[in-house]
Amino acid sequence: MFAKKLVTSAMLFTTLSLTTLTALAEEVNIYSFRQPFLINPIMEKFTEQTGVKVNILFAKKGLVERIKREASLSPADLVLTSDFSRLMQLTEQNLTQAVDSKVLTTNIPSQYRDPDLHWFALTTRVRNIYSSVERVGPVPNITYQDLASPEFKGKICTRSGKHPYNISLVASVIAHQGLADAKVWLQGLKANLARKPQGNDRAQVKAVKDGLCDYALGNSYYLGKMLADPKQVAWAEAVNINFPNQNSSGAHVNVSGMALTKYAPNKANAIKLMEFLSDDLAQQLYAQVNYEYPVNARVAPSKLVASWGDFKADKLPLAEIAKQHKAAVKLLDEVKFDL
Ligand code: FE
């Protein structure tokens, strides 16, 4: 009886193992900082085309720490981020691995991927300067540097300097002008703020509509999102979108992106998914659903986004800007930007 039991257990174990292996072969696990409304429709298409099931853990924060804690036992294959600094955190903490894929290097320009192939951008967005339609009008020649000059005193609204979008902007100014000049600029910008940094990017556009300030820093796609929201359309219509630094360094561009985890249990499927995300269909969905610029040059932005016009983007590779992130955070503290 004992022997019979043993045999049964052994058989059971084998069956389970096989099931597990089969399931593993047809799955991919994502930890996503990006939101379900954007990511779910894209993953449905991937599963439709490949039969690979996608499991997603969505969170606004804590995912990098979680991957670190889980270490080699982490179920995560792929991390999707909504900005560049998370990609940096992942690679700096040695939580990623390189992906050598012809599809990825063809679809994603070199400026927008890690030279060591540990991270890849999927979409780009401009850090724009919005101006009041009523009190300013369009200012196509405006620069980030202008925002520090005395004539802008009390006229600028922005979210926290410590938000990743602003840290990247400050890092790019350091990368272009050096630390000393960047400090003078940041002090000037702080001195010109209409109020303490607060709220998100959309709240700054609302503040322009409410007459609290004439200029606001904000990412490009939020204009599309506000125009699509009946409660916010009036905010969006109160501002002009201006692409900064068009006669000099070009507009600062941030990215959303992806990285393959160091211990990805479903590596082959994860790379298949990475390639899918960089290809035409997924890139079109990113462009249409969230008003971002596709990183893949074959894919056009949405009609609305295209109507904002062409612009010159900063040519400095993101990897160069990333080297200044720590200095940017230190500088923001030094000038007490948020206080
Ligand atoms: Fe955002």
Side-chain angles (χ1 to χ4, degrees), residues 101-113:
S101 152
K102 190 92 203 287
V103 175
L104 291 181
T105 51
T106 306
N107 286 346
I108 303 173
S110 63
Q111 184 190 3
Y112 296 124
R113 54 181 146 86

Side-chain angles (χ1 to χ4, degrees), residues 34 82 125 159 163 165 201 219 221-222:
R34 305 227 69 182
S82 52
R125 64 285 288 274
R159 77 194 308 166
H163 188 277
Y165 299 155
D201 276 1
N219 283 356
Y221 54 91
Y222 287 120

Side-chain angles (χ1 to χ4, degrees), residues 56-74:
I56 315 176
L57 175 68
F58 291 101
K60 278 191 172 166
K61 46 185 149 185
L63 294 177
V64 177
E65 296 75 8
R66 184 169 173 154
I67 291 168
K68 197 171 177 182
R69 206 166 53 235
E70 291 169 342
S72 63
L73 296 175
S74 178

